[in-house]
Structure formats: structure tokens, C-alpha cells
Amino acid sequence: MEIIELESVDSTNNYAKNSIDLFEDKTVITAKSQTSGRGRLNRKWVDLGTDNIFMSIILKPSQDFKNVYSNLTQYLSVSLCKVLEKYGISPKIKWPNDVMIDGERKISGILSETVIEAGKLHGIVLGIGVNLNATQEFVNSVPNRVVTALNLEINKSVNRQLFLNELLEEFFAYYDKFLEDGFEFIENDYIKRNCFLNKDLKVQVLNNVKSGYASSVNKNGELVLKTEDNNELILNIGDIL
Ligand code: BT5
């Protein structure tokens, strides 16, 4: 694994995608600051100042796309929870891959992008932002969400380099096994940290809102909603509202 550390970049995901063919499998791009970080659906990821994590992991597991690659964001969310727990907090996962404190404060965001041309997979760019160090004022300024940073949860500053190393170690320790076994490999670890099951939910799926009772996550990591008319909706993308 090679780590390329940039001082400042528009987006580590853009940087990785733009030169994907130049990077080896398992190259990691990190930046100390990120000026145009992106979330899903062109939402913004806010840089909360020095000593936060902006990172993209470049993965080239095969030349064709396999379904299990869609679950990499869920695998990374579990890896992140395990590291956060070493710091004495109890993160929860909001489907599909948001890591939350007390089920409501967002501490991390994950964005996976796939580069495919003419049916050939050039690579997967698995991006993650983790708030390690920020002021309360700054986290309050993030639009649309209640946000937190690890230092605010544990009342001390966090060593970014150490955290980065712990996260990468955890991620790569079981990465090969995860690719072999798929979502089932993390099913227990994922479900036991969930904060969305057994509730009535509204889920934004592109331009529609779907409603139902969140009854389970199936073997593919998809959310199963029971609707009022007793049907099952199976969602593989969406935002829980
Ligand atoms: C995400 O999108 O949560 C994925 C964010 C991925 C960011 C990483 S950083 C490294 C790499 N390079 C990139 O350019 N991106 C990746 P989404 O689920 O769409 O959530 C976006 C929403 O999260 C925003 O609309 C805000 O409400 C909220 N948000 C923005 N900045 C935040 C922050 N620093 N901490 C917590 N929430 C934030």
C-alpha cells in the first residue's frame, strides 16, 4: 500500500479518478485540506480545518465489476466504527454508510465512485471524510445536518496520523476476505451497530420518497421496507430522511 499525502486538493476523489490509470491497486490519496469536497448527488463535503481526514482509497480488484463492490462503503463504515470505538465512543450506522454519534450527529461521510470505460473497470475510488478535530461553531455551520467531530465527543484533540493508520490497518486487515464473502462477512458487525431498523422510515430515492417499516437488511446489504399494503420494497440506494 502506498500513501500519497497532498497538502491541498480540490477533492481527493477527483485527484484519484483523474489519474486512475497511473495508480496501483491500494494506493491511498490523503490531503491536509480539501477545497471542493463532494458528497453524493453533488452535495458538498465541508473542510472543518486542520487535522481532519480527507482520503480516497484506490482499489483495482478485477477488470470487471462485481456486485460486492457496491458494499465497500458499508464495509468501510464498519471499519471506521471499530476504530472510533477504540476512542471510547459508540458510533451507529445509518443505512447505507453514514456513521453517526447518538444516532443523530454525523461524524463521517463516504463516497464511492467507479471508473468504467468500455466495460472495463479502471478502478474504484472509495472516499471518506472523518471529522477528527473541529470547533463547535464550525460544525454548527454545516448545512442540513447535525454534525460532530471526534475531539468534541471525547474532549481532547485527536492525532490525525495515528487515526489514519488505524483506519487503513483495520480496512485492509479483512479487505480480501470481505471481497470473497461479500456483505455476509460484515452482516453481524453492521447490524449490531444500526440505528435505523424496526422503525417507520421515509427514504429519499432520487426524486421519490418511499415510506415503510425498516424490517431488515438483506444478504446484499439492501434495505427492506415493509409498506402499508404489506409489500416489500428493496432499496439499494437512498437517503433516510
Ligand atoms: C457524504 O455525502 O457523506 C460523502 C462525503 C464524502 C467526503 C469524502 S472526503 C474525501 C473524498 N473526496 C471528496 O470529494 N469526497 C470524499 P452525503 O451523504 O451526500 O452527505 C453530504 C451532506 O453531509 C452535506 O449535504 C452536509 O449536510 C453534510 N456534511 C457536509 N460536510 C460535512 C462534514 N464535514 N461533516 C459532517 N457532515 C457534513
Side-chain angles (χ1 to χ4, degrees):
M1 176 185 55
E2 187 191 357
I3 301 180
I4 299 173
E5 170 109 311
L6 308 170
E7 275 303 311
S8 179
V9 70
D10 57 345
S11 146
T12 55
N13 267 38
N14 289 353
Y15 187 92
K17 275 193 341 185
N18 290 343
S19 308
I20 190 97
D21 291 336
L22 301 179
F23 299 119
E24 305 251 318
D25 181 30
K26 300 183 183 168
T27 303
V28 177
I29 312 290
T30 69
K32 290 189 174 153
S33 86
Q34 187 172 250
T35 53
S36 304
R38 292 185 289 108
R40 291 170 300 149
L41 304 172
N42 280 330
R43 291 185 286 238
K44 288 192 167 54
W45 186 254
V46 180
D47 180 336
L48 295 172
T50 42
D51 288 325
N52 290 297
I53 289 181
F54 312 103
M55 167 166 92
S56 299
I57 306 172
I58 296 164
L59 299 168
K60 301 186 173 184
S62 63
Q63 299 212 333
D64 55 329
F65 189 84
K66 299 196 164 75
N67 288 339
V68 63
Y69 304 158
S70 311
N71 301 111
L72 275 164
T73 60
Q74 290 167 312
Y75 173 66
L76 180 55
S77 70
V78 170
S79 306
L80 175 64
C81 285
K82 289 184 175 172
V83 176
L84 287 170
E85 284 157 8
K86 291 187 191 162
Y87 288 75
I89 59 172
S90 304
K92 294 271 181 290
I93 300 172
K94 185 166 148 190
W95 185 86
N97 56 52
D98 268 345
V99 174
M100 316 292 287
I101 310 301
D102 289 341
E104 57 169 24
R105 299 192 291 283
K106 178 160 163 155
I107 195 166
S108 165
I110 297 174
L111 174 68
S112 175
E113 297 183 284
T114 304
V115 185
I116 297 183
E117 270 169 33
K120 180 175 179 280
L121 176 66
H122 288 245
I124 300 156
V125 176
L126 189 56
I128 181 168
V130 191
N131 302 330
L132 295 185
N133 296 286
T135 62
Q136 190 62 51
E137 287 85 335
F138 215 171
V139 297
N140 290 348
S141 72
V142 176
N144 308 326
R145 293 285 163 98
V146 183
V147 170
T148 191
L150 183 53
N151 70 314
L152 299 173
E153 300 295 328
I154 62 172
N155 285 316
K156 59 180 180 207
S157 58
V158 180
N159 183 316
R160 171 181 174 273
Q161 197 57 52
L162 190 66
F163 195 99
L164 253 175
N165 294 345
E166 288 172 326
L167 182 55
L168 287 171
E169 203 172 294
E170 180 66 42
F171 180 85
F172 281 116
Y174 309 101
Y175 168 71
D176 292 329
K177 183 83 181 118
F178 166 74
L179 287 188
E180 262 172 47
D181 294 2
F183 182 75
E184 288 183 51
F185 177 69
I186 53 161
E187 189 175 1
N188 288 342
D189 279 333
Y190 184 88
I191 297 295
K192 75 179 183 198
R193 295 181 176 87
N194 93 81
C195 62
F196 57 88
L197 285 177
N198 307 318
K199 289 179 186 168
D200 287 316
L201 296 183
K202 287 193 188 318
V203 185
Q204 179 93 39
V205 183
L206 303 175
N207 289 327
N208 294 308
V209 176
K210 311 277 184 195
S211 303
Y213 181 78
S215 60
S216 61
V217 174
N218 69 16
K219 300 282 176 205
N220 300 321
E222 296 161 323
L223 177 62
V224 181
L225 288 185
K226 287 230 160 79
T227 57
E228 269 184 0
D229 50 6
N230 245 344
N231 280 322
E232 271 192 353
L233 276 178
I234 298 188
L235 304 182
N236 53 24
I237 53 161
D239 276 304
I240 295 176
L241 296 173

